[in-house]
């Protein structure tokens, strides 16, 4: 059967015959069907989309009115033409139309063009059910949906549907889309309600100190150790804390209107995050400067997700021997913590406590909300350069080349030896989170009158630390070591940097919830001079896939013994990021211990690195901060503003906070 025969449109309904056949009383649809065969009258109407729409919209009414205004003889002639055309087959209709077109002048052709431009348009969403329309629009990307919303009000109502934009948000937020390659920040730290302080930021004049300054003729080799010949003895008076510090102690009750949850359209959620991501990629940001320290800022951390207060808190440590607590939103200084007698080189805080490490050989535990020192930990024989703690373990690295591991549950401690130079960075890692013991999260510092910590190894047994607890350490000897804290042994030594390794972070794996089947890995034992017994496990057979940008190749050392076995979960591991005074940043495969990528771009040593799933940032002695794409291995933005070396930084989803030897703290906000 031909296509013409398979497609049938009755065009107009069959008329109801009346006794009066006066054409004057016959509507257009009746006059056009006098010659329709009788068998069509008994069958249901079959109308094409256009004629069905005409029937629904009553389009023939205007034609009927125009026909009624004509003389009787002309009306009959027009009705006869319509009736003849209506009763013709589709091939005949095509032939009739072609003949009519040849008879038309330009004025009639212009009229046809004007009407056809409107009639030939079909709005699919006008005839489809809403569910089908949303299914079709679900195949469009965000840009196409925004363009569709500009077509008509009906299209806008469909294109702005929350179901569509929620799906787009799920594809992009917190991960990189497999189709377009873009990822958007989660912004989980944004709050529906923030307490806005009206206090103006306290400005303090900076005290210039040419710390770690290098003459131009000695740009290479990179600077050594950051050792200061003199320690600043000056200290600034703390700001007025009577009102602002109260917010740190007690949650401020919110009114009923403020406590109500506020929801927004998913399109707005996507738009806000897309703006931030575009700013990241284009290097567009606003900069605020916090002044207060009188010497170089050496360490900092901020937290925007505290249960209270409602504002984000920033803590900084400096060579001026003080630790300062800031309201990062307003720039108001809340506390100045004094107690260390030399430079503060490391700090970390959580909801309850703050732990700082200083060149005075001690670590101090503070109640940062009240600004009081809780306890002083002594054990290192030289300055403390770095620290890292979790729910039950505190690790610290020192100028004395050792690492001390403090058990926060029992109070015991032991020492790891293996590095032959300053230990600049330590990083804890749970290689098997499922092996955590079910104990209280409270530590000795969280309980008033808790026990004391001992730096002696006899006070802490290996069984008191959760199985799978690992520690990375980076040193001025150019190496990075992986330690098993349960066995108290060195599992691997990673080499590749040509200079002192100053900083180190773990880059979260994009998929770390894989299978947890345990895989036996061979391990062995090696003896280091003056060190406790250490071991290293045999590298995995998986290829590390070094890139062409890596030069020279990073390596790892191990001494396998077939008798010892160490079990590691087979789930995907995070990636280790390190920054060195050889001007490079390296990514390491912690499974094989090999360098997988090297980032070049800084012209002087890298003092600090920070990273998340979306990007990597680095601070350098060349006074710049660089933002890197981990996947592409290239610098996407360079931030310039500090007047001295960038010694520390922290990364948020929409901001970078950096500290420098110029005594300034800068907040680089990409939120637009």
């Amino acid at each position: 059967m031909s296509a013409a025969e398979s497609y049938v449109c009755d065009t107009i309904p069959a008329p109801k015959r009346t006794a009066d056949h006066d054409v004057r009383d016959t509507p257009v649809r009746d006059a056009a069907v006098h010659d329709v065969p009788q068998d069509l009258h008994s069958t249901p109407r079959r109308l094409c989309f256009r004629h069905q729409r005409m029937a629904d919209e009553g389009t023939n009414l205007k034609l009927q009115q125009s026909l009624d205004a004509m003389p009787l003889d002309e009306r009959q002639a027009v009705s006869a033409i319509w009736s003849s055309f209506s009763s013709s087959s589709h091939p005949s209709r095509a032939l009739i139309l072609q003949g009519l077109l040849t008879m038309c002048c330009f004025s009639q052709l212009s009229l046809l063009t004007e009407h056809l431009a409107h009639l030939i348009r079909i709005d699919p969403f006008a005839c489809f059910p809403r569910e089908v329309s949303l299914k079709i629009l679900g195949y469009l990307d965000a840009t196409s949906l925004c363009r569709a919303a500009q077509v008509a009000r009906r299209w806008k109502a469909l294109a702005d549907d929350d179901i569509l934009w929620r799906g787009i948000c799920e594809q992009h937020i917190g991960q990189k889309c497999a189709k377009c390659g873009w990822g958007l920040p989660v912004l989980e730290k944004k709050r529906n309600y923030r307490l806005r302080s009206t206090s103006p930021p306290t400005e303090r004049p900076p005290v210039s100190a040419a710390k770690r300054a290098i003459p131009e003729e000695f740009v290479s080799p990179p600077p050594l150790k950051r050792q200061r010949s003199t320690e600043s003895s000056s200290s600034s008076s703390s700001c007025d804390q009577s009102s602002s510090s109260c917010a740190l102690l007690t949650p401020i009750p919110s009114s009923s209107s403020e406590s109500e949850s506020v929801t927004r359209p998913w399109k707005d959620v996507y738009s806000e995050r897309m703006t931030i991501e575009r700013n990241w990629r284009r290097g567009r940001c606003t900069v605020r400067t916090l002044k207060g320290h009188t010497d170089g800022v050496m360490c900092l951390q901020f937290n925007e997700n505290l249960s209270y207060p409602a504002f984000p808190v920033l803590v900084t440590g400096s060579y001026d021997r003080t630790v300062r607590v800031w309201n990062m939103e307003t720039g108001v200084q809340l506390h100045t913590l004094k107690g260390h007698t030399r430079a503060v080189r490391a700090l970390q805080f959580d909801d309850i406590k703050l732990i700082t490490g200083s060149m005075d050989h001690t670590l101090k535990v503070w109640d940062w909300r009240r600004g009081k020192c809780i306890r002083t930990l002594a054990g290192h024989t030289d300055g403390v350069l770095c620290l890292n703690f979790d729910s039950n373990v505190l690790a610290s690295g020192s100028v004395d080349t050792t690492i001390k591991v403090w058990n926060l549950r029992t109070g015991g401690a032991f020492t790891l030896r293996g590095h032959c130079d300053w230990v600049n960075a330590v990083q804890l890692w749970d290689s098997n989170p499922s092996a955590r013991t079910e104990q209280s999260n409270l530590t000795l510092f969280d309980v008033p009158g808790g026990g004391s910590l001992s730096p002696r190894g006899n006070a802490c047994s290996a069984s008191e630390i959760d199985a799978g607890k690992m520690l990375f350490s980076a040193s001025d000897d150019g190496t990075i070591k992986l330690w098993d804290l349960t066995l108290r042994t060195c599992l691997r030594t990673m080499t590749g940097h040509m200079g002192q390794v100053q900083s180190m972070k773990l880059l979260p794996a994009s998929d770390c919830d894989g299978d947890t089947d345990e895989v036996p890995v061979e391990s062995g034992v090696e003896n280091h001079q003056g060190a406790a017994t250490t071991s290293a496990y045999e590298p995995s057979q998986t290829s590390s896939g070094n890139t062409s940008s890596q030069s020279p190749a990073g390596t790892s050392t191990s001494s396998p013994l077939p008798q010892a076995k160490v079990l590691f979960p087979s789930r995907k591991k995070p990636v280790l990021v390190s920054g060195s005074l050889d001007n490079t940043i390296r990514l390491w495969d912690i499974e094989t211990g090999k360098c997988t990528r090297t980032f070049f771009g800084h012209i002087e040593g890298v003092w600090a690195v920070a990273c998340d799933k979306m990007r990597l940032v680095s601070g350098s002695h060349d006074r710049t901060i660089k933002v890197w794409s981990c996947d592409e291995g290239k610098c996407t933005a360079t931030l310039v503003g500090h007047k001295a070396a960038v010694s520390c930084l922290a990364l948020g989803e929409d901001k970078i906070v950096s500290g420098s030897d110029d005594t300034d703290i800068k907040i680089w906000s990409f939120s637009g």
Side-chain angles (χ1 to χ4, degrees), residues 542-550 587 589 592 594-597:
T542 305
S543 173
S544 62
N546 293 351
T547 64
S548 59
S549 63
Q550 174 191 341
L587 301 185
D589 183 348
T592 63
K594 294 183 179 180
C595 176
T596 59
R597 174 166 287 175

Side-chain angles (χ1 to χ4, degrees), residues 192-220:
N192 293 330
Y193 166 69
R194 287 179 181 268
L195 178 64
R196 301 284 177 178
S197 175
T198 57
S199 303
T202 304
E203 294 287 337
R204 297 184 181 275
V207 179
S208 59
K211 301 295 179 181
R212 225 187 302 125
I214 302 179
E216 293 183 358
E217 61 269 25
F218 297 111
V219 172
S220 180

Side-chain angles (χ1 to χ4, degrees), residues 185 187 190 271-288 304 612 615-617 625-628 636-640 650-658 666-672:
L187 297 186
K190 290 186 70 68
S271 177
E272 178 186 37
R273 284 152 179 78
M274 175 57 74
T275 300
I276 295 174
E277 182 62 22
R278 282 203 185 105
N279 290 341
W280 273 111
R281 296 194 174 213
R282 298 172 183 174
R284 296 187 304 198
C285 61
T286 58
V287 185
R288 288 193 300 131
E304 296 178 291
D612 58 20
R615 58 191 52 86
L616 185 153
V617 297
I625 299 171
K626 288 186 178 292
V627 183
W628 307 82
T636 59
T638 300
L639 310 179
V640 180
L651 174 64
E653 292 181 318
D654 61 349
K655 64 176 62 68
I656 298 173
V657 182
S658 60
K666 290 187 179 294
I667 302 175
W668 315 74
S669 175
F670 295 83
S671 59

Side-chain angles (χ1 to χ4, degrees), residues 248-378:
L248 299 177
L249 302 178
T250 307
I252 298 180
S254 58
S255 62
S256 59
S257 60
E258 292 172 336
S259 61
E260 293 178 358
S261 61
V262 178
T263 60
R264 295 185 300 160
W266 282 100
K267 184 176 181 179
D268 292 350
V269 173
Y270 179 88
S271 177
E272 178 186 37
R273 284 152 179 78
M274 175 57 74
T275 300
I276 295 174
E277 182 62 22
R278 282 203 185 105
N279 290 341
W280 273 111
R281 296 194 174 213
R282 298 172 183 174
R284 296 187 304 198
C285 61
T286 58
V287 185
R288 288 193 300 131
T289 302
L290 306 183
K291 295 181 180 292
H293 285 291
T294 59
D295 209 333
V297 180
M298 305 308 299
C299 50
L300 59 84
Q301 181 192 345
F302 71 90
N303 194 332
E304 296 178 291
N305 201 27
L306 294 169
S307 55
Y308 69 94
F311 52 81
V313 173
L314 169 67
V315 181
T316 58
S318 168
Y319 258 93
D320 63 10
R321 310 177 190 180
T322 66
V323 178
R324 298 174 189 260
V325 183
W326 310 77
N327 179 338
M328 197 166 65
E329 216 171 48
T330 63
V332 172
Q333 191 178 133
L334 306 178
H335 289 302
T336 300
L337 310 181
K338 298 180 180 179
H340 285 294
T341 58
R342 295 185 65 187
V344 179
R345 291 293 302 269
L347 63 84
Q348 183 182 344
F349 76 97
D350 57 18
D351 279 351
I352 300 175
K353 60 185 176 295
L354 162 69
I355 302 180
T356 58
S358 170
M359 295 298 289
D360 62 8
H361 309 181
T362 67
L363 295 95
K364 288 185 180 291
V365 185
W366 307 79
D367 180 349
W368 60 268
R369 296 183 185 275
R370 293 179 172 82
K372 297 180 180 179
C373 181
I374 301 175
R375 192 159 300 157
T376 299
L377 307 180

Side-chain angles (χ1 to χ4, degrees), residues 507-536:
L507 179 64
S510 58
D511 181 14
C512 60
D513 296 327
D515 298 334
T516 56
D517 298 334
E518 293 183 337
V519 179
V521 183
E522 294 184 0
S523 64
V525 178
E526 61 179 3
N527 291 324
H528 293 272
Q529 183 177 2
T533 303
T534 59
S535 68

Side-chain angles (χ1 to χ4, degrees), residues 450-496:
S452 62
L453 294 183
S454 169
R456 308 304 176 193
N458 296 334
C460 180
S461 65
S463 61
E464 293 169 347
I465 294 181
D466 296 336
K469 183 77 72 176
M470 303 291 173
L471 175 71
F472 292 94
S473 61
S475 170
D476 272 350
D477 60 17
T479 66
I480 300 172
K481 291 183 180 290
L482 172 62
W483 306 81
D484 187 325
L485 298 187
T486 305
L487 303 177
R488 303 188 195 179
T489 58
C490 176
L491 300 180
R492 184 177 296 282
T493 299
M494 307 176 195
T495 59

